[in-house]
C-alpha cells in the first residue's frame, strides 16, 4: 500500500517487525517534522511501550482502523492486539479523529466493534454488499486438480488467487502447479518474511500470474486486476469467503469466483 501511495505522490511510510529500532526512530523523527501524510502500523506494535513513548507526542490528526471487525471476538478474524487501539489513542495529546473500516461486519460485530474501539456516537455508513462484477460459481468436487487446471487454462495470463485451508495444502499445490509449468507463487504464515515479500511483490508487479495461499494472504493487498479467485477448500465461514472474494475485480471488471464443495 505504501508503494502504491508513493507512486501517486503521497508520502507514506510503514513500521513493522522486520525493521531495526534505529530505522523506526528515523521514520518517527521524519514524521515529527511533517514528512509523511500517512504511516501504516500493525496493532501488535501498540503493545510496545517503547513505540508508544516515541509516538505519543506526534501531531496525529486521524487514526484509521482497517479490518475493524478484528477487534470483536464475534468477528471471523479476532486479533487480540486490536484491543490495544482504544488505550493507544486515549493517551495521545493530539485528540485525533477515529475512523474504522471493514468489508464484513454482522450487526452484532458492528455493535461490539464500536464499543471496544470506544467510538462515541459515530457516523455509520453501510455500503451495498452486492458486487455485481463478482460471478460466483460452486463446483461439486469430482477431480479437483483437473477442474482447477481447466479454470487456469480458461483464465490463462490473468491474475488469480487460489485459496487453500492449510500451509501443507498450499505447498503441495504450489509445487504441483510449478512442475506443470505454471507461473505461480505461494503465501502462508510459515514462510520467512523475505519469502513472503518476494512472492507478494512478484504477484503485485505481475512477474507471476497465480498465487496459492492460505487466508493469511490478502489483508492489505490492493491489486485492481485480479480476474479470478478459487477456493480449493471451503473457507471457515461466509464472512471469510466474502472478504477473500472481495480482493477480486477491484477495477470494476468481471472477476470469476470458484468454490469447490464436498458433502463430506
Amino acid at each position: 500500500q505504501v508503494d502504491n501511495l508513493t507512486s501517486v505522490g503521497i508520502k507514506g511510510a510503514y513500521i513493522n517487525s522486520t525493521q531495526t529500532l534505529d530505522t523506526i526512530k528515523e521514520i518517527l523523527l521524519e514524521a515529527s517534522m511533517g514528512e509523511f501524510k500517512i504511516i501504516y502500523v500493525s496493532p501488535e506494535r501498540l503493545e510496545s511501550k517503547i513505540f508508544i513513548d516515541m509516538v505519543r507526542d506526534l501531531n496525529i490528526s486521524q487514526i484509521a482502523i482497517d479490518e475493524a471487525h478484528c477487534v470483536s471476538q464475534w468477528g471471523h478474524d479476532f486479533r487480540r492486539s486490536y484491543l490495544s487501539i482504544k488505550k493507544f489513542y486515549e493517551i495521545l495529546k493530539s485528540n485525533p479523529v477515529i475512523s474504522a473500516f471493514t468489508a464484513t461486519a454482522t450487526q452484532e460485530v458492528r455493535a461490539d466493534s464500536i464499543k471496544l474501539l470506544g467510538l462515541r456516537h459515530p457516523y455509520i455508513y453501510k455500503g451495498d454488499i452486492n458486487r455485481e462484477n463478482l460471478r460466483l460459481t460452486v463446483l461439486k468436487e469430482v477431480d479437483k486438480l483437473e477442474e482447477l487446471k481447466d479454470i487456469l487454462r480458461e483464465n490463462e495470463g490473468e491474475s488469480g488467487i487460489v485459496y487453500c485451508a492449510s500451509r501443507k495444502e498450499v505447498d503441495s499445490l504450489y509445487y504441483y502447479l510449478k512442475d506443470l509449468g505454471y507461473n505461480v507463487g505461494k503465501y502462508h504464515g510459515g514462510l520467512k518474511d523475505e519469502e513472503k515479500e518476494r512472492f507478494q511483490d512478484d504477484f503485485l508487479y505481475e512477474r507471476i500470474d497465480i498465487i496459492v495461499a492460505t487466508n493469511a494472504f490478502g489483508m492489505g493487498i490492493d491489486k485492481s486486476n485480479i480476474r479470478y479467485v478459487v477456493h480449493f477448500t471451503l473457507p471457515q465461514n461466509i464472512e471469510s469467503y466474502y472478504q477473500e472474494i472481495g480482493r477480486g475485480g477491484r477495477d470494476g471488471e468481471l472477476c470469476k469466483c470458484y468454490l469447490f464443495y464436498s458433502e463430506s
Side-chain angles (χ1 to χ4, degrees), residues 192 231 257:
K192 294 175 182 172
H231 279 82
C257 306

Side-chain angles (χ1 to χ4, degrees), residues 47-63:
E47 292 165 6
S48 161
K49 185 176 183 305
I50 296 171
F51 176 77
I52 287 175
D53 287 344
M54 286 193 286
V55 300
R56 71 195 314 161
D57 293 329
L58 286 183
N59 183 25
I60 299 168
S61 58
Q62 181 172 19
I63 292 175

Side-chain angles (χ1 to χ4, degrees), residues 3-259:
D3 288 344
N4 286 345
L5 285 176
T6 305
S7 71
V8 294
I10 298 169
K11 289 202 76 175
Y14 63 86
I15 292 171
N16 69 22
S17 58
T18 66
Q19 294 161 319
T20 65
L21 189 58
D22 285 343
T23 301
I24 293 170
K25 284 179 177 174
E26 183 66 30
I27 290 168
L28 293 175
L29 178 64
E30 290 183 60
S32 70
M33 296 186 287
E35 286 296 306
F36 299 118
K37 177 74 173 169
I38 185 167
I39 299 176
Y40 288 81
V41 298
S42 74
E44 284 76 13
R45 181 66 43 185
L46 305 181
E47 292 165 6
S48 161
K49 185 176 183 305
I50 296 171
F51 176 77
I52 287 175
D53 287 344
M54 286 193 286
V55 300
R56 71 195 314 161
D57 293 329
L58 286 183
N59 183 25
I60 299 168
S61 58
Q62 181 172 19
I63 292 175
I65 302 154
D66 199 12
E67 310 296 357
H69 64 272
C70 293
V71 78
S72 171
Q73 294 202 49
W74 303 106
H76 65 277
D77 194 25
F78 173 65
R79 281 165 69 187
R80 183 164 296 281
S81 51
Y82 268 71
L83 296 170
S84 302
I85 295 173
K86 179 175 180 281
K87 288 181 282 184
F88 167 65
Y89 73 69
E90 283 175 344
I91 63 157
L92 294 174
K93 296 182 177 178
S94 52
N95 194 26
V97 172
I98 313 296
S99 304
F101 304 90
T102 177
T104 49
T106 60
Q107 196 164 337
E108 188 173 37
V109 170
R110 194 163 68 240
D112 201 36
S113 301
I114 288 168
K115 177 183 163 193
L116 291 168
L117 291 169
L119 307 181
R120 294 188 296 273
H121 309 297
Y123 168 75
I124 297 171
Y125 173 78
K126 288 189 288 183
D128 186 356
I129 199 164
N130 182 33
R131 296 214 9 237
E132 292 183 358
N133 64 315
L134 302 183
R135 191 177 78 197
L136 311 187
T137 303
V138 179
L139 301 166
K140 198 162 185 178
E141 285 184 23
V142 181
D143 184 339
K144 278 209 294 189
L145 288 173
E146 283 304 315
E147 289 180 276
L148 177 63
K149 285 191 283 184
D150 286 344
I151 290 168
L152 298 182
R153 280 192 287 267
E154 184 186 319
N155 296 283
E156 192 172 351
E158 302 282 13
S159 290
I161 306 173
V162 181
Y163 280 110
C164 299
S166 68
R167 297 174 184 183
K168 186 177 177 182
E169 192 173 51
V170 167
D171 286 336
S172 171
L173 191 56
Y174 165 73
Y175 289 116
Y176 175 77
L177 294 175
K178 196 169 175 62
D179 287 346
L180 291 175
Y182 285 100
N183 196 8
V184 62
K186 65 176 177 173
Y187 194 101
H188 59 64
L191 298 178
K192 294 175 182 172
D193 285 338
E194 55 267 28
E195 290 179 296
K196 288 182 191 172
E197 194 165 336
R198 175 166 58 85
F199 282 125
Q200 184 172 292
D201 284 352
D202 284 349
F203 184 61
L204 286 172
Y205 298 112
E206 305 192 349
R207 294 187 285 269
I208 57 175
D209 300 322
I210 307 159
I211 193 105
V212 182
T214 61
N215 62 3
F217 180 79
M219 282 210 183
I221 298 301
D222 189 18
K223 180 172 165 62
S224 65
N225 63 340
I226 294 171
R227 296 275 72 91
Y228 63 97
V229 178
V230 180
H231 279 82
F232 198 65
T233 33
L234 278 174
Q236 290 176 314
N237 49 46
I238 197 74
E239 288 93 352
S240 299
Y241 180 64
Y242 187 75
Q243 279 273 355
E244 288 153 20
I245 62 171
R247 285 151 198 157
R250 291 189 170 183
D251 55 4
E253 299 297 318
L254 175 67
C255 175
K256 303 168 192 171
C257 306
Y258 305 90
L259 176 69

